[in-house]
Amino acid sequence: MITGGQMKAARALLGIDQKQLAELAGLSVPTIQRMEASEGTVRGVVESLTRVVEALSRAGVDLIGEGAASTGGGRGVRLKEPAPTPGG
């Protein structure tokens, strides 16, 4: 659904901190902190995850899933596969 890295990146694009995201999503700051500390896909209560995704969407962030096309017209960034390291 969403990764901790996506959450951090989305906040950075919006210029908001964890407290502001928590307020937008109607969640606690510790919940946002736990979500962002997740390795890979955030695990947790589905309702909380949905609230974060919806709050980010309302604020103007389009989250792009793995392998999904970006159909929006705004600016953004996308993480690509890391390049292989030389000799390794």
Side-chain angles (χ1 to χ4, degrees):
M1 180 176 232
I2 187 174
T3 67
Q6 280 179 302
M7 285 180 64
K8 292 175 195 174
R11 281 194 310 98
L13 287 170
L14 294 170
I16 63 173
D17 61 19
Q18 289 178 330
K19 182 179 180 204
Q20 290 168 303
L21 178 56
E23 290 169 359
L24 290 172
L27 299 170
S28 69
V29 173
T31 297
I32 299 297
Q33 290 171 333
R34 277 192 303 276
M35 289 175 155
E36 287 190 357
S38 296
E39 292 288 327
T41 303
V42 173
R43 292 193 172 97
V45 177
V46 174
E47 181 183 349
S48 297
L49 293 170
T50 302
R51 288 174 130 186
V52 168
V53 170
E54 289 174 352
L56 292 172
S57 180
R58 283 192 310 271
V61 171
D62 184 18
L63 296 168
I64 305 167
E66 183 70 32
S70 176
T71 57
R75 294 182 183 186
V77 296
R78 183 179 197 130
L79 187 63
K80 42 183 194 176
E81 286 292 319
T85 56

